[in-house]
Amino acid sequence: MTLRVLQIVPAIALAYGGPSQMVLSLSKALALEDTNVTILTTDANGDRPPDLPIDQCIEQDGYRIRCFHNWTGRYKFSIDLLRWLVVHAAEFDVAHIHALFSPVSSLAAAIARQQNLPYLLRPLGTLDPIDLQKKRILKQIYARLLERSNLAGAAALHFTSVQEAETARRFGVTTRDWILPLGVELAPAVAIDLPPTRPIVLFLSRIDRKKGLDLLLPALMDLAEAGEPFHFVLAGSNPQDPDYERKILDRIRASPLSNRTTIAGFVTGGTKTAWLQAADLFVLPSDYENFGLAIAEAMAAGVPVIVSDRIALAATVRSIEAGWVTRCDRFTLRETLRSALRSTADRKRRGENGRRFAQANFDWGAIARQAIAFYRSICR
């Protein structure tokens, strides 16, 4: 019997990066395994106009998308989406709900529970103690009113790594944990204008306060002033915090990095693949990552990585020698960068280690089959 899966996510626009795009990749992989998949989402698109038609069934890559108008800007809420779910919940076997502390996700979980639709919750790192400190009082109230019941009623919590599950707070609720990593699918590369100076150091992620740019930029400035040869590529944006993005770009332009930096902006598809393939080193010294999809993509492209020890994939990077793991301080990061930049052979070896691991562990087909088996187990 064909499994009917409902994926619920506040937004899937490219502006929201990996966490939202993962839902599209998972849905495509599930559809290839003869699963009936519908994505329920809003038309939120940062500060850009919506790019999906409202309240229509869109066929794409073997699955369907139903998109409803977002009424509340960055907080992503749609009463029309929730009304649709009340009417149609009985048509599905399981709901996979992505994100906590989001009105769409929280109320969708409450509706699923009321309609006896088994559901999984994917926290997206929101249960990490560091993340919970942001707007702490508001989140405590929100958890008391909605999320504690949602966690208690979930068939399981979907974590993308053991580390994410271990650090998650459950508000006193006992949960069943399900560990399922993310997959990687790189589009064919397109032509890009490459900088003349090598090696290329690539930062490819959302330009966010937690991503470690406050450490990376000073470390790179130190190396530039010391005469180390490299070119820095900053690929990413942040439509939800344009002031911070502008601050970072202004800081680069006023620094010794100004004449050795390419501002690539938000990249996707073949352009993203091209920058990954061009890079000699990928760097992401984040304060926290519950998985780190960009790191997995870099590994799949054969790029050695430098990551902080606060990232879930750091243990894997260290154990298979796919790159280097550093503490979250400027001086350790600087010396790690210096060492990596000076060792072409070591970069190549570590890049190949990462590529082999990614091919074996980040395949969407294998991940989809694991998901289907778990979906069926909670339906029973």
Side-chain angles (χ1 to χ4, degrees):
M1 182 177 175
T2 302
L3 191 65
R4 301 165 300 173
V5 179
L6 185 61
Q7 303 281 345
I8 303 175
V9 61
I12 56 170
L14 289 172
Y16 299 106
S20 295
Q21 293 302 294
M22 169 271 181
V23 179
L24 299 178
S25 298
L26 175 60
S27 297
K28 179 181 176 180
L30 291 170
L32 288 172
E33 297 293 328
D34 295 323
T35 302
N36 187 319
V37 182
T38 297
I39 297 176
L40 201 58
T41 190
T42 75
D43 65 349
N45 194 18
D47 57 359
R48 303 174 178 88
D51 57 6
L52 288 172
I54 301 300
D55 199 12
Q56 295 181 27
C57 185
I58 307 163
E59 297 280 347
Q60 176 176 295
D61 292 328
Y63 58 87
R64 286 164 298 285
I65 301 174
R66 281 201 171 272
C67 179
F68 296 88
H69 179 59
N70 171 39
W71 292 20
T72 55
R74 64 179 297 180
Y75 293 103
K76 308 180 190 70
F77 176 75
S78 174
I79 190 66
D80 300 315
L81 181 153
L82 299 173
R83 285 172 177 159
W84 188 94
L85 180 58
V86 169
V87 174
H88 297 277
E91 299 171 12
F92 298 92
D93 299 307
V94 62
H96 195 159
I97 302 174
H98 305 262
L100 300 183
F101 298 106
S102 169
V104 162
S105 301
S106 301
L107 293 172
I111 291 170
R113 198 162 58 252
Q114 187 266 336
Q115 298 284 333
N116 294 317
L117 173 63
Y119 65 93
L120 302 154
L121 290 175
R122 177 176 165 232
L124 289 173
T126 55
L127 292 179
D128 180 82
I130 295 174
D131 202 77
L132 286 170
Q133 288 304 308
K134 302 172 186 175
K135 301 179 181 178
R136 181 172 61 88
I137 302 300
L138 180 61
K139 286 184 176 179
Q140 288 175 348
I141 296 170
Y142 194 109
R144 189 176 301 115
L145 293 176
L146 283 170
E147 296 298 36
R148 185 176 294 167
S149 297
N150 288 337
L151 293 172
L157 300 192
H158 171 196
F159 295 108
T160 52
S161 65
V162 173
Q163 292 89 339
E164 182 189 8
E166 289 175 346
T167 58
R169 279 186 55 194
R170 317 303 168 90
F171 307 110
V173 176
T174 301
T175 64
R176 178 184 182 186
D177 295 347
W178 175 43
I179 311 298
L180 185 75
L182 305 184
V184 172
E185 183 179 24
L186 297 179
V190 300
I192 56 173
D193 293 328
L194 294 175
T197 306
R198 302 300 291 262
I200 293 174
V201 177
L202 175 65
F203 173 95
L204 194 159
S205 190
R206 189 171 72 256
I207 300 178
D208 188 271
R209 298 174 192 275
K210 78 169 188 176
K211 298 293 184 176
L213 285 166
D214 58 327
L215 301 176
L216 178 58
L217 294 184
L220 289 174
M221 290 175 197
D222 289 347
L223 295 176
E225 291 177 335
E228 292 286 345
F230 69 89
H231 189 89
F232 178 50
V233 175
L234 180 72
S237 66
N238 192 341
Q240 294 181 303
D241 193 351
D243 290 340
Y244 180 72
E245 179 180 348
R246 186 162 48 251
K247 176 183 174 183
I248 290 296
L249 299 186
D250 289 346
R251 186 176 181 184
I252 291 173
R253 292 175 183 131
S255 77
L257 296 175
S258 60
N259 62 353
R260 56 165 79 199
T261 297
T262 295
I263 307 296
F266 178 76
V267 296
T268 187
T271 305
K272 177 167 68 173
T273 304
W275 279 117
L276 285 168
Q277 291 179 349
D280 297 280
L281 196 59
F282 174 93
V283 185
L284 188 64
S286 296
D287 288 338
Y288 173 74
E289 297 283 345
N290 61 293
F291 182 72
L293 182 58
I295 301 166
E297 290 173 332
M299 291 167 64
V303 187
V305 302
I306 294 180
V307 299
S308 77
D309 55 7
R310 299 179 185 177
I311 290 174
L313 279 176
T316 297
V317 170
R318 181 184 283 117
S319 66
I320 67 170
E321 294 192 336
W324 295 263
V325 177
T326 178
R327 296 195 305 273
C328 278
D329 72 75
R330 166 183 176 176
F331 304 104
T332 305
L333 177 58
R334 181 190 65 198
E335 294 311 308
T336 303
L337 280 162
R338 192 196 306 273
S339 175
L341 288 168
R342 291 181 176 182
S343 181
T344 303
D346 203 20
R347 289 200 309 270
K348 182 177 180 180
R349 178 182 68 84
R350 292 173 189 259
E352 284 302 313
N353 289 345
R355 189 200 306 274
R356 286 194 295 270
F357 183 88
Q359 288 174 343
N361 294 275
F362 301 144
D363 173 69
W364 269 121
I367 290 169
R369 289 187 287 276
Q370 292 179 56
I372 291 168
F374 195 81
Y375 291 158
R376 291 194 181 280
S377 73
I378 64 174
C379 290
R380 288 195 296 269

